Amino acid sequence: MPYRPIEDYALIGDGLTAALVSRDGSIDWACFPRFDAPSVFARILDAAKGGHFQIAPEGEFSARRRYLGDTNVLETTFTTGEGEAQLVDFMPMGASARPDTNRIVRRLRGVSGIVRFAITLDPRFDYARRAAEWERDAGQGVRATSGDDAVTLFTSVPFEVGPEGATGALTIQSGETVWLTLEYRQRPRLWRP
């Protein structure tokens, strides 16, 4: 099914903007640096070319989720035939003194057994009207840039870059934790009268 019903989404945000996270670990909507800015991920509008950032188990799985306490921190628990893992998603408020920077923090933690994950980062800037240029830094992450906009995924997970964005895979065992931090940053614009 290319389009998910809206009830499959949970909302995370930082007070400046927000992201919609699907039940299968995909960020399918996010505008940066504010709510009224052009989208970077818009798969809810166009499943084929809208862009997304997905962390999901390979193969069949079930998922349950909840917000932690009275917070906007989303916890998704994935269960497969081989194990269970939790994905925690949040956007830190006031994480930067710069109003043109946002972060989405995603933490994977193995609960039991082994779970193999596939990860796709496919930003499509300005409602998918602008292509991205990619850079890789082994052991540090990947960056997609388009005009004055850039998203950098800071992680130790190795990624390959292709026509569908950056893709990676990892196996999480019980007790292991992996962090993935996506940072949006807008280049400072020179003042012009």
Side-chain angles (χ1 to χ4, degrees):
M1 184 170 79
Y3 294 98
R4 295 171 179 87
I6 196 67
E7 62 265 19
D8 273 4
Y9 289 97
L11 182 76
I12 59 172
D14 63 5
L16 296 174
T17 192
L20 290 176
V21 186
S22 72
R23 187 172 296 285
D24 64 355
S26 183
I27 295 174
D28 289 348
W29 177 258
C31 297
F32 300 118
R34 298 175 320 275
F35 290 106
D36 60 345
S39 69
V40 174
F41 303 116
R43 188 155 77 168
I44 63 169
L45 299 180
D46 189 320
K49 64 179 183 178
H52 64 287
F53 176 23
Q54 185 168 18
I55 301 173
E58 294 181 349
E60 291 188 28
F61 63 89
S62 64
R64 64 186 189 279
R65 59 191 178 168
R66 66 186 179 120
Y67 287 104
L68 299 180
D70 291 331
T71 71
N72 196 354
V73 177
L74 178 66
E75 177 187 82
T76 305
T77 302
F78 296 111
T79 304
T80 70
E82 292 77 40
E84 188 172 271
Q86 290 177 332
L87 174 64
V88 171
D89 291 309
F90 65 95
M91 296 177 73
M93 294 180 69
S96 172
R98 295 176 53 141
D100 55 357
T101 302
N102 308 91
R103 289 187 185 94
I104 297 174
V105 179
R106 309 190 85 183
R107 184 197 77 193
L108 266 175
R109 185 175 66 82
V111 175
S112 65
I114 296 173
V115 181
R116 184 158 175 79
F117 281 87
I119 304 169
T120 303
L121 173 64
D122 187 21
R124 304 288 179 101
F125 295 93
D126 193 17
Y127 303 100
R129 292 184 288 200
R130 290 188 287 144
E133 295 178 15
W134 287 91
E135 300 171 51
R136 279 187 319 151
D137 189 355
Q140 300 297 312
V142 291
R143 173 178 293 130
T145 307
S146 179
D148 289 334
D149 300 305
V151 291
T152 305
L153 180 59
F154 296 98
T155 184
S156 59
V157 177
F159 277 85
E160 295 296 323
V161 175
E164 299 301 315
T167 57
L170 74 118
T171 301
I172 281 275
Q173 297 183 25
S174 177
E176 288 183 331
T177 300
V178 174
W179 293 86
L180 299 99
T181 300
L182 184 74
E183 181 179 89
Y184 167 84
R185 179 160 292 179
Q186 192 175 60
R187 272 190 216 157
R189 293 193 172 102
L190 297 175
W191 180 78
R192 293 189 180 111

